[in-house]
Amino acid sequence: MIEKLKQDLATGTISRRTFMAGALAMGATVSSASLLVGEAHAMAPQKGGTLRIGFTQGSTSDTFDPATFNNDFMLATGYAVFNTLVELAPDGSGQPDLAESYEASADAKTWTFRLRDEATFSDGKKVTAADVIASIRHHLGENSKSAAKPLLKSIEDIKADGDNTVVFTLTEGNADFPLIFNDYHLGIRPAQADGTIDPDTMIGTGGYVVESFEAGVRAVLKRRDDYWKKGRAHIDRVEILTIADPAARMNALLTGEVDLIDRPDLKTVHMLKRNPNVKLHTQDGTLHYVMPMHSDTAPFDDNNVRLALKNAINRQEFVDKVLKGYGKVGNDQPIASSMQFYNDQLAPRAFDPEKAKYHLKQAGLDTLNVKLHTAENAFGGAVDASLLFSETAKAAGINIEVVREPADGYWSNVWLKKPFCTSYWGGRPTADLMFTTAYAAGADWNESRFNHERFNELLVKARAELDTETRRNMYFEMQQIVSDEGSTIIPAFGQYVSAMTKRVHMPEKVTQLWDLDGMRFIERWWVS
């Protein structure tokens, strides 16, 4: 009850006098109640201060071209500097951001977005429909390699209806269409005279402007005094550093070099728990760890080989030893149990060396030799996970050579390029967006090059289906296909874990789609 009183005082629901009366009634002394008042005020958003962040990811190849965003350093920076039309709320629903409102036609094929009158870029220019159209078309160009391109491919036409309204016409109905615009690639940039955007521009509508930027090393952001969105962008100055080494990242937090780190080493997280000035933040969500195999490359083009590998990994060991219990066993499909249309009828695949041997035999093999490319930058514990997999696979006659790649450049030199590697996904807000981004034939981020005729057919049909039960059945079948015939091993879903000093504060409820409040923490959190 005391915590509830503190929250009510922080949000202004009750007065200080009412809080004191309630605390005293619960047995608190006057002095202790006064201390609780101070704690409650710290819970309320405060303006000012500096937040220094130590991120695992960040690459020297990073640019401000939104089509290239592929790591947390740029996600966090992008959300701080640029707004999207829609943002994801803590309950998983889409909420208007740059858009004031949106509505669909009866068949969900025409969507009308109305922009906020008060929204401006950091150079003072008002946001217009032309800016939105130019920003979206940047990802739809013929030569675009943006991961958002497959999410937008159903757009048949975009047009302005005056300066403040954008109308999207789709080739097919899509009830999830607004949620696409939460995607971090789709921050709005100013349009140029020729109807394009400057992909390298740092002029955005967000609460922060870029003071300095060194790709893969450091970014410094400064709060806009004229930010149009009320109740957001509390911190004066934000410094983001790439600290790929987990030990160095933890030391930076403990020594006060940074205030917040993502992905602390779970093997040593107990050391952080012992520090009275540090707190851990954990959140469930759609995070999952993957080992994609190129389905068009031997030996992974044989599903029996893929099934052999899927049965040769000890998933519970992955959760216990790599995630230190911060997660649960996965079943080779990417839809989280918290999501709508999750197939709860798929039993987790157990570690079964004999079944793995059976599938090798079906593939005409007695043994299998493969290389698994990995780096700690893929996800915390990726190297250990690969070595554990190598050990358990031996019982099935499978020899996995673990190839340790350099952390810098992993996402540009290894991921999507090597036929068998480690990776992770923060997930997407809907089953359609997850499948469309990473499993649809031809998608730029289809990391396993999965191409299944029935799956592709269902993906299109389910997206346009308005009957919930019919749609549910389709997504259940798609999960079954990916689990049994897909070319991605998904051993586990994990909790997001971050660590921070006690001067860092956040709302009571945060978005659980991705780490750190859906990576919008720079705008939503504050420091004391």
Side-chain angles (χ1 to χ4, degrees):
M1 285 296 293
I2 285 288
E3 289 302 314
K4 178 64 167 60
L5 283 173
K6 285 166 63 179
Q7 186 67 35
D8 288 344
L9 181 59
T11 57
T13 306
I14 62 174
S15 67
R16 185 181 188 278
R17 177 176 292 180
T18 302
F19 173 87
M20 291 292 288
L24 291 171
M26 292 179 198
T29 65
V30 173
S31 59
S32 64
S34 296
L35 288 174
L36 291 172
V37 169
E39 292 179 11
H41 285 314
M43 294 169 63
Q46 301 177 35
K47 294 290 185 184
T50 295
L51 175 66
R52 299 159 301 168
I53 305 155
F55 262 134
T56 305
Q57 297 181 343
S59 174
T60 52
S61 61
D62 287 341
T63 76
F64 265 79
D65 182 347
T68 68
F69 286 8
N70 67 0
N71 62 59
D72 290 348
F73 188 109
M74 293 310 300
L75 265 69
T77 303
Y79 275 140
V81 177
F82 307 94
N83 293 104
T84 49
L85 288 176
V86 174
E87 65 177 326
L88 207 65
D91 64 1
S93 64
Q95 299 293 324
D97 190 10
L98 267 182
E100 182 179 67
S101 64
Y102 50 83
E103 60 186 17
S105 60
D107 60 1
K109 291 178 70 173
T110 302
W111 286 85
T112 301
F113 287 74
R114 292 179 178 83
L115 306 179
R116 297 186 186 275
D117 286 329
E118 67 272 22
T120 60
F121 288 100
S122 57
D123 63 357
K125 176 182 174 294
K126 184 180 181 298
V127 179
T128 68
D131 302 314
V132 173
I133 293 171
S135 297
I136 301 305
R137 283 183 173 160
H138 177 69
H139 301 274
L140 290 171
E142 184 178 346
N143 298 319
S144 171
K145 297 296 182 184
S146 172
K149 187 174 182 177
L151 304 179
L152 303 169
K153 68 178 182 180
S154 66
I155 296 176
E156 185 175 67
D157 184 43
I158 319 173
K159 65 180 181 181
D161 183 7
D163 283 345
N164 265 36
T165 302
V166 183
V167 180
F168 295 88
T169 302
L170 312 183
T171 58
E172 58 193 10
N174 186 349
D176 295 333
F177 185 68
L179 287 171
I180 290 173
F181 293 106
N182 177 73
D183 190 272
Y184 50 86
H185 299 93
L186 302 179
I188 303 305
R189 273 78 171 159
Q192 301 183 118
D194 63 357
T196 66
I197 63 166
D198 174 2
D200 296 319
T201 186
M202 296 183 184
I203 297 173
T205 61
Y208 292 85
V209 294
V210 181
E211 194 171 276
S212 64
F213 177 74
E214 186 177 354
V217 179
R218 185 171 184 258
V220 179
L221 310 178
K222 182 180 178 182
R223 182 172 64 87
R224 283 177 58 183
D225 291 331
D226 63 342
Y227 188 36
W228 55 272
K229 193 189 294 187
K230 305 304 180 185
R232 296 285 182 90
H234 308 290
I235 304 164
D236 282 344
R237 182 182 175 87
V238 178
E239 300 177 15
I240 307 174
L241 303 172
T242 299
I243 310 176
D245 180 76
R249 203 162 55 253
M250 184 172 75
N251 286 335
L253 179 66
L254 293 174
T255 59
E257 180 184 349
V258 298
D259 306 296
L260 181 154
I261 62 171
D262 71 337
R263 307 183 194 186
D265 188 344
L266 297 179
K267 296 192 295 293
T268 57
V269 75
H270 60 280
M271 296 173 61
L272 295 175
K273 291 181 177 179
R274 293 200 296 262
N275 190 309
N277 296 316
V278 171
K279 59 185 178 182
L280 287 182
H281 174 61
T282 61
Q283 62 183 66
D284 294 319
T286 55
L287 170 67
H288 54 282
Y289 304 97
V290 302
M291 298 175 180
M293 305 167 276
H294 288 179
S295 64
D296 59 359
T297 303
F300 310 113
D301 54 352
D302 188 325
N303 192 45
N304 276 299
V305 169
R306 304 197 293 261
L307 286 170
L309 287 161
K310 288 176 180 179
N311 282 284
I313 188 167
N314 190 322
R315 298 159 194 268
Q316 191 59 53
E317 186 177 56
F318 186 106
V319 172
D320 294 341
K321 295 183 177 180
V322 177
L323 302 184
K324 304 301 180 184
Y326 290 98
K328 58 185 178 182
V329 166
N331 195 35
D332 305 322
Q333 66 83 20
I335 308 305
S337 59
S338 60
M339 294 173 65
Q340 187 182 25
F341 306 125
Y342 167 70
N343 187 343
D344 57 1
Q345 299 172 13
L346 283 175
R349 185 171 275 117
F351 172 52
D352 193 336
E354 293 307 313
K355 186 174 285 188
K357 289 179 182 178
Y358 166 78
H359 284 293
L360 282 185
K361 187 175 181 180
Q362 292 299 109
L365 301 170
D366 294 320
T367 61
L368 176 67
N369 298 294
V370 295
K371 292 182 178 181
L372 176 59
H373 300 263
T374 189
E376 198 63 20
N377 203 33
F379 59 82
V383 173
D384 286 345
S386 301
L387 293 171
L388 281 172
F389 189 11
S390 178
E391 287 300 312
T392 60
K394 289 177 182 177
I398 299 174
N399 301 307
I400 299 176
E401 178 187 346
V402 177
V403 181
R404 301 191 193 198
E405 301 281 359
D408 185 45
Y410 182 84
W411 297 104
S412 55
N413 300 325
V414 178
W415 183 62
L416 298 179
K417 293 180 172 61
K418 301 295 184 181
F420 192 23
C421 72
T422 56
S423 178
Y424 83 100
W425 281 88
R428 293 296 185 272
T430 67
D432 175 66
L433 290 176
M434 186 67 241
F435 282 142
T436 299
T437 303
Y439 294 84
D444 286 329
W445 281 11
N446 184 339
E447 58 190 352
S448 69
R449 302 182 184 176
F450 182 58
N451 189 351
H452 189 286
E453 184 176 357
R454 174 61 177 166
F455 175 89
N456 294 330
E457 175 188 343
L458 286 168
L459 182 60
V460 174
K461 287 183 177 179
R463 185 181 303 128
E465 179 58 58
L466 299 180
D467 181 77
T468 301
E469 185 63 22
T470 302
R471 205 175 186 207
R472 173 183 176 274
N473 292 336
M474 289 179 176
Y475 283 121
F476 269 42
E477 183 180 349
M478 292 161 72
Q479 290 168 72
Q480 184 83 57
I481 290 171
V482 170
S483 180
D484 292 344
E485 301 178 61
S487 46
T488 299
I489 301 170
I490 305 179
F493 280 76
Q495 285 187 312
Y496 289 111
V497 182
S498 53
M500 62 202 74
T501 64
K502 290 189 175 180
R503 63 184 292 270
V504 180
H505 305 279
M506 67 190 74
E508 183 180 11
K509 295 181 179 180
V510 298
T511 301
Q512 298 194 1
L513 173 63
W514 298 316
D515 198 3
L516 298 170
D517 210 351
M519 277 298 156
R520 293 181 182 266
F521 69 105
I522 293 176
E523 181 185 89
R524 296 175 177 176
W525 294 13
W526 65 96
V527 296
S528 60

